[in-house]
Amino acid sequence: MKNMLSNKFIAIGGAIIVFMILVAVFAPLLTAYDYGMVDLPNKQQVPNKNHIMGTDLYGRDVWCRIAYGARVSLFVSFAAVAIAIFFGSILGIIAGYLKGVVDFTLSRIIDIMMAFPPLLLSLIIGVSLGTSIRNMCISIGVPLIPMFFRVARGVTLSIGERTYVMAAKSMGSGSIKIMIKHILPNVLPQIFVVLSLGMGGAILAEASLGFLGLGIPQPTPSWGLIVNEGKLFMFSAPWTTGFSGAFIALTVLGFNLLGDGLRDYLDPKLKNLEGQS
Amino acid sequence: MKRYILSRILFAIPTIIGVFILVFFIVRLIPGDPAVTMLGSNATNEQIERYREQHGHDKPIAVQFGIAFKNFLKGDMGQSLSWYRPVREVIFEKLPRTAELAFFGILFGTLAALLLGVTAAVHRGRWPDLLLTAFASLGMSLPTFYIGLWVLVIFAMKLKIIPVISSFGSGVSYWQSLFGPVLTMALGECALITRTTRSSMLEILNEDFIRTARSKGLSEKIVLYKHALGNALIPIVTVVGYSLATAFGGAIVLETVFARNGIGKLLIDGINVRDYPLIQGTTIVIAILMVLINIITDIIYGLVDPRIRVGENK
Amino acid sequence: MSSQEDLILQIQNLKVRFPMKNQSFVHAVNGIDLNLYKGDSLGVVGESGCGKSVTFSGVMRLIESPPAVIEGKIIFNNQDLMKLSPAEMQKIRGKDITMIFQEPMTSLNPVMRIGYQIMETLLVHENISKKAASARALELLELVEIPDAAGRLWSYPHQLSGGLRQRVMIAMALACRPKILLADEPTTALDVTIQAQVLDLLKRLQEETDMSIVMITHDLGVIADVAKRVAVFYAGRIVEKASTREIFKNPLHPYTVGLLNCIPTIETNTPRLQAVEGNIPDAADFPPGCPFHPRCEKATDICHREEPLKTTPSKNHQVACHHI
């Protein structure tokens, strides 16, 4: 663990993520306002000592909404990634283990999913399911499935031929048992690396859908929604979108750094290459 | 090489069919009734019935799919409910606006990224590298719309050199209309490609043939840009191709930010008024473009790498 | 043979060290003095890590410095190569002094046709048209005995075998009729039969021109085959230097003796496996005194304390050992 933290990327990225999680968890303690409290006389105030990030069109405290927004955005992103990991890794392991027709069919289906820009796929799934928090998790999660599928399939293919897997096979272990006992433990660390990058992608997707006005609906504040509410006033009152966008970027940066760090850490080949230089 | 190209194209055909099937059914799931959208909420049941019959909506879904697919193969994507014109016509009218945005955005982004990536690799571990790596990490983390909004604030509001609505005509020149969205796309894509260039160059610079190139007395410029970058381009091609393919997706956001009339904005407008044929048509066209760009990327990849182009003949 | 006017390259007290993460240095080369004469063929022998490759990469100025620290003089054509600007050095590198490397499989640029890679050297160093350069490239491929040279001129490296690629490397190195060819383990990565062919080729080319050749190798067999003189490297120093004949007949340094004992000879039926015991010392942490003493059978007190000076027991034979 100590060794792991000596990787700068993991340390910085991890610190950002921990900070965001703390903000989400302790949102009620960190803010003096109610995220939904309308206060029209104080609308669109520039950041001041009462409202450190200003107020929005309805006089609501922006910092308060961002802090509560962290809850929604982080939760939705995490749930989306969980969906993607569940389906992606199960299908990936099955494809990589059984090969042949199963692999071919699953790989073509994944090809079809990858034929869409991820945001477009989220968009049409979101629109067709209707906007709700649950549906948002699905529509953000589905385009992330190929990412996990490919990792799981690749790792499974590479270890499927190893002696201990062959030995387990020859001793008559069932396929499902082999996949769970021998393959899954090898797939998980790689999934872990991609998880972090996937979280970054999910946060961005939630924000972009929100920006387009097709994200998580009112009244629950999500970062995407806050961005969307402020975007029309970017010239006159840029703080709403400005601060919420900065939080989104910082969180994505945290996940990206963490993912990069973990990849370097778990892939010594790459690490050596960087170390040489 | 011919076989290589042929196999790429053959693999794309089932993908395109799959894309059509997926979009067809997803769009059918969208809540609401096209007949109601079309005729308004106070239409009589009789009118609605007749509309459905006319458009084949009363037939089983499988039959509807068959008809739609047959029409699609003929290039007919139906009638737009909001434009009162064939979907194909509307899409092909808007497509050039998106294509030029994607092309210039990726072009400038890539050119800058090659320069920055090589610079970072050459100065690895020292301040230019750290600065550029930080820039790339940040660039990859910023949402496109966020960069776009700040570009608007800076260039449209403060400097007043670009319009707030980036559609040309009415006093806005072609290049002025492109500036904002292209700059935004270039900045975003530049980050990813810079990173790829850097890591690819770092790997190549450790190769033996770089030492050979130096030992021949070539100048450092030639060693870097011809020998090293020439090889580093192979993985870069893939990333640039991917960027170009997803740029049509990114255009959805960018065209909304800059109010630019491309197919991205067309799609969002279509979604807002529940124009099903238009949603279906734009989505399929964007996906097919992505598949085609991926094929072209694979072909270029093959062209750049003689080991694929020429093959082994020991 | 070694008159002063025939002297073309002088390495004087060359030292190279590489910084490590913990502020210390790897001392790769520690005071090399070496002369090279016109038409000379010098064998440089030593285990891997003895600094032989680093020394000659240093001569080519191919070592990135900083981070590496390089001291000493490398005199060629009355000028110190260490003092030349990068641009001036580029004019010598690949023209007057050229180098071929151990790894023919990876030493050619995979995305460039071999003909072009040869032409490139010519176009950089000589005022020559593209057409003339390509004609010369073909001549060079013929010179290095590549079969069907015309058909292979526009091949890519991956289409050629390792032996052929090394011939291309040699052709490239010979393109501008260099004065010095540095061959760094040119045959190590090749099959035994191909090794012999490539060595014969180098020998023939050297004899036909007045080019000097430095053969860097860990294989005394190669030295016996092509070199007139030998320098034995150990821990970044030259421990013994003499004519090839003298080295094989009368090796003085215990390390040279050890190396010679590694070669199975025809006279003794049982292959003698008496290799030099132990490992080369860590270049980051040399033992005090003679760097060879931990592995030396003859080592006495003085070897632990003092680094031996070079002595000259006979003409053209130099050795650094306390026990001569």
Side-chain angles (χ1 to χ4, degrees), chain C residues 4 50 69 92 95 111 135 181 203 245 266 279 283-284 294 300:
Chain C
Q4 207 56 30
C50 69
V69 181
I92 292 174
K95 181 172 194 290
V111 304
L181 172 66
K203 218 158 60 177
R245 184 187 276 251
I266 306 164
N279 293 318
T300 53

Side-chain angles (χ1 to χ4, degrees), chain C residues 58-79:
Chain C
V59 170
M60 289 287 277
R61 294 249 319 256
L62 286 176
I63 301 169
E64 213 179 324
S65 167
V69 181
I70 307 173
E71 290 160 18
K73 282 183 178 170
I74 297 162
I75 311 238
F76 172 78
N77 259 352
N78 296 323
Q79 51 188 347

Side-chain angles (χ1 to χ4, degrees), chain B residues 14-175:
Chain B
T15 309
I16 290 176
I17 295 173
V19 162
F20 187 86
I21 297 172
L22 189 66
V23 174
F24 180 86
F25 287 102
I26 288 182
V27 170
R28 290 299 168 289
L29 282 175
I30 297 177
D33 187 333
V36 177
T37 309
M38 202 55 203
L39 304 170
S41 49
N42 42 14
T44 62
N45 279 348
E46 205 175 280
Q47 283 174 307
I48 289 176
E49 235 16 80
R50 201 168 40 199
Y51 178 88
R52 284 189 178 149
E53 228 169 273
Q54 270 175 1
H55 291 81
H57 291 175
D58 54 339
K59 298 200 177 74
I61 191 112
V63 177
Q64 286 187 41
F65 174 77
I67 295 168
F69 192 64
K70 219 174 83 190
N71 288 339
F72 167 70
L73 290 182
K74 284 190 284 186
D76 176 7
M77 294 188 271
Q79 192 81 6
S80 162
L81 305 184
S82 53
W83 289 75
Y84 310 103
R85 284 165 61 196
V87 167
R88 190 183 66 167
E89 220 179 276
V90 184
I91 289 178
F92 282 102
E93 193 180 290
K94 309 288 178 190
L95 194 57
R97 300 286 85 77
T98 307
E100 64 202 12
L101 164 58
F103 175 77
F104 286 115
I106 300 296
L107 178 72
F108 292 129
T110 305
L111 290 179
L114 292 181
L115 201 70
L116 297 179
V118 171
T119 309
V122 170
H123 296 279
R124 65 195 178 282
R126 295 194 291 272
W127 68 264
D129 180 29
L130 300 178
L131 202 72
L132 287 167
T133 307
F135 158 77
S137 301
L138 197 67
M140 284 174 64
S141 309
L142 288 169
T144 321
F145 64 80
Y146 196 60
I147 305 178
L149 288 173
W150 285 114
V151 164
L152 271 183
V153 167
I154 295 169
F155 292 94
M157 187 176 94
K158 301 271 185 224
L159 302 175
K160 295 192 170 42
I161 54 172
I162 59 163
V164 176
I165 293 175
S166 290
S167 288
F168 68 95
S170 61
V172 177
S173 76
Y174 181 75
W175 293 108

Side-chain angles (χ1 to χ4, degrees), chain C residues 1-2 7 9 33-45 212-215 223-224 226-232 240-248 316 318:
Chain C
M1 58 168 253
S2 41
L7 187 65
L9 183 79
D33 292 298
L34 202 57
N35 290 345
L36 195 64
Y37 303 91
K38 225 172 240 172
D40 200 355
S41 59
L42 173 71
V44 169
V45 70
S212 312
I213 189 165
V214 176
M215 180 65 69
I223 300 278
V226 293
K228 292 182 198 134
R229 296 192 303 132
V230 184
V232 181
E240 187 162 9
K241 194 160 63 181
S243 70
T244 307
R245 184 187 276 251
E246 178 82 6
I247 284 275
F248 279 86
N316 295 330
Q318 208 178 49

Side-chain angles (χ1 to χ4, degrees), chain B residues 124 208-209 211-212 214-220 222 226-227 231 234 306-307 309-313, chain C residues 60 62 64 90 93-94 101 103 106-111 116-117 120-121 124-125 156 158-159 172:
Chain B
R124 65 195 178 282
D208 293 326
F209 62 82
R211 184 182 57 187
T212 306
R214 291 207 174 103
S215 78
K216 283 156 82 172
L218 304 179
S219 71
E220 201 55 23
I222 301 233
K226 203 156 142 196
H227 284 258
N231 280 275
I234 296 169
R307 282 159 291 192
R309 187 177 71 225
V310 187
E312 308 263 338
N313 59 346
Chain C
M60 289 287 277
L62 286 176
E64 213 179 324
Q90 275 161 22
R93 209 191 276 145
F101 303 96
E103 305 84 4
T106 51
S107 287
L108 289 166
N109 189 330
V111 304
Y116 182 78
Q117 295 190 49
E120 206 179 23
T121 314
V124 161
H125 294 295
Y156 284 98
H158 73 269
Q159 296 171 293
M172 225 152 76

Side-chain angles (χ1 to χ4, degrees), chain A residues 1-276:
Chain A
M1 190 67 196
K2 207 172 184 181
N3 195 357
M4 215 159 134
L5 284 178
S6 68
N7 180 312
K8 271 175 288 180
F9 292 131
I10 296 181
I12 299 173
I16 295 174
I17 302 310
V18 168
F19 171 75
M20 290 301 167
I21 292 173
L22 290 178
V23 166
V25 171
F26 295 108
L29 301 178
L30 295 169
T31 59
Y33 300 90
D34 174 352
Y35 66 76
M37 195 182 71
V38 174
D39 179 12
L40 287 175
N42 288 321
K43 69 169 197 169
Q44 293 193 327
Q45 283 194 359
V46 285
N48 55 49
K49 68 176 193 301
N50 290 332
H51 301 280
I52 51 166
M53 294 183 187
T55 61
D56 70 2
L57 183 64
Y58 304 101
R60 296 174 299 194
D61 183 63
V62 172
W63 160 238
C64 174
R65 290 181 66 75
I66 289 175
Y68 278 94
R71 292 180 160 195
V72 183
S73 291
L74 287 176
F75 170 77
V76 167
S77 300
F78 191 75
V81 170
I83 291 170
I85 289 180
F86 183 78
F87 289 103
S89 48
I90 286 181
L91 295 177
I93 290 174
I94 290 174
Y97 185 78
L98 295 179
K99 299 182 199 155
V101 187
V102 178
D103 179 30
F104 185 84
T105 314
L106 287 173
S107 294
R108 293 294 79 73
I109 292 173
I110 295 294
D111 276 354
I112 293 167
M113 292 172 71
M114 295 205 308
F116 296 90
L119 183 66
L120 177 61
L121 197 53
S122 290
L123 202 65
I124 57 164
I125 295 175
V127 170
S128 64
L129 294 180
T131 47
S132 72
I133 289 195
R134 192 202 64 187
N135 291 345
M136 203 45 54
C137 299
I138 297 172
S139 63
I140 294 173
V142 169
L144 293 172
I145 291 176
M147 195 168 158
F148 294 101
F149 174 86
R150 296 203 327 170
V151 171
R153 178 177 174 271
V155 176
T156 308
L157 278 177
S158 75
I159 60 169
E161 304 296 324
R162 293 225 188 119
T163 38
Y164 60 90
V165 177
M166 300 304 249
K169 238 186 231 176
S170 67
M171 282 163 67
S173 289
S175 289
I176 294 176
K177 201 175 157 199
I178 293 175
M179 282 191 253
I180 294 174
K181 253 186 93 175
H182 297 289
I183 295 177
L184 193 63
N186 286 289
V187 171
L188 282 180
Q190 298 299 319
I191 291 286
F192 194 59
V193 172
V194 188
L195 180 148
S196 195
L197 299 172
M199 279 298 290
I203 297 269
L204 277 179
E206 191 273 318
S208 301
L209 291 174
F211 172 81
L212 292 171
L214 300 164
I216 298 162
Q218 302 270 14
T220 343
S222 73
W223 285 344
L225 181 71
I226 303 170
V227 158
N228 185 48
E229 286 171 343
K231 72 176 178 192
L232 291 176
F233 311 100
M234 196 60 195
F235 287 179
S236 56
W239 45 88
T240 307
T241 297
F243 282 116
S244 50
F247 266 76
I248 292 164
L250 189 62
T251 311
V252 177
L253 180 68
F255 281 118
N256 284 350
L257 290 177
L258 186 64
D260 287 347
L262 287 174
R263 195 191 48 215
D264 291 353
Y265 183 75
L266 291 173
D267 191 344
K269 201 187 115 219
L270 275 171
K271 199 167 105 187
N272 281 345
L273 197 89
E274 303 272 318
Q276 261 179 26

